[in-house]
Amino acid sequence: MARIAVIGANGTIGSAVVAEATARGHEVTAVVRDPDRYRGDAAAVERGDVLDPADVARVAAGRDVLVSAVGGGDGPGHLALIEPAARSLVEGLRALGGDAPRLIAVGGAGSLETAPGVRVWDTPGLPEPLLQIMHAHGAALDYYRTVSDVRWTVLSPAAEIGPGERTGLYRTGLEQLLTDAAGRSRITVPDFAVALVDEIEQPEHIGERFTCCAL
């Protein structure tokens, strides 16, 4: 059993991670801005601000894993939140020194390669708000890649992620966008949560980004 804190536990992905980890018997704490509005599956709930390194250190203390599933809503919201949150998370964990938990952050698919040197965000015709979201996650990933003193992992979804059933089946890769047997790059939110909790239980990607896709 791992002691896990999930920042952004009220969101679509965060709530799925809480549900998956709780169902497997882990001790999960939901970290949200307004605990009174939390209606999820976590055993405990705490108020927390991902942009405050002292708050990050407080909620991370005594945990084995800190999951960041924060999102900024629209494009400008992501630009204002995702990369600053990455810096705050690292600063907060650094304050805990050798007792800091491992960090797993939910990333984006925009920086995955569709061909050598070509990324998803290079696709012609993408709307500006979507590009802002993609580049916000890309900037956070670039920052994480400068960090060597905190155990971090970024998990990027397939190009399409949304509601659906939990099959427990998926495949993983590193820098290339993955597709399923039908040629689509997609994964359900529940299966994305399965991949993330599998990484908690069997660490294989410390200090790197990986991605997952339906079979």
Side-chain angles (χ1 to χ4, degrees):
M1 182 185 73
R3 295 163 296 176
I4 304 167
V6 180
I7 301 178
N10 262 337
T12 300
I13 293 177
S15 61
V17 171
V18 169
E20 179 68 25
T22 299
R24 299 197 200 183
H26 297 292
E27 180 184 307
V28 184
T29 298
V31 182
V32 295
R33 287 176 291 182
D34 185 358
D36 291 337
R37 299 177 60 186
Y38 182 71
R39 298 293 183 270
D41 301 309
V45 185
E46 291 189 21
R47 185 187 308 275
D49 181 358
V50 73
L51 295 179
D52 182 345
D55 237 15
V56 170
R58 177 182 58 80
V59 301
R63 271 42 186 243
D64 300 305
V65 180
L66 180 64
V67 175
S68 174
V70 298
D74 59 9
H78 274 76
L79 290 174
L81 177 65
I82 302 302
E83 194 263 359
R87 293 181 179 274
S88 177
L89 288 161
V90 169
E91 184 178 343
L93 292 177
R94 279 176 172 157
L96 298 177
D99 294 326
R102 180 185 175 197
L103 171 65
I104 301 182
V106 174
S111 58
L112 293 168
E113 290 188 339
T114 56
V118 181
R119 303 188 185 190
V120 173
W121 62 39
D122 296 320
T123 304
L126 294 176
E128 183 60 25
L130 179 57
L131 286 170
Q132 290 175 335
I133 293 172
M134 289 178 173
H135 284 287
H137 282 291
L141 178 60
D142 286 344
Y143 170 69
Y144 283 127
R145 284 174 167 159
T146 70
V147 174
S148 59
D149 57 338
V150 169
R151 294 174 297 154
W152 63 268
T153 298
V154 172
L155 174 55
S156 290
E160 301 174 37
I161 180 170
E165 67 175 322
R166 180 195 185 282
T167 69
L169 303 174
Y170 63 91
R171 63 191 184 98
T172 63
L174 295 177
E175 295 304 311
Q176 285 72 43
L177 185 74
L178 301 176
T179 58
D180 62 17
R184 288 179 62 183
S185 179
R186 57 182 174 176
I187 194 163
T188 66
V189 171
D191 278 344
F192 181 85
V194 170
L196 192 148
V197 178
D198 283 350
E199 177 65 21
I200 290 175
E201 295 180 346
Q202 297 180 321
E204 295 183 0
H205 300 286
I206 294 176
E208 66 182 15
R209 182 261 295 274
F210 75 110
T211 184
C212 58
C213 178
L215 296 179

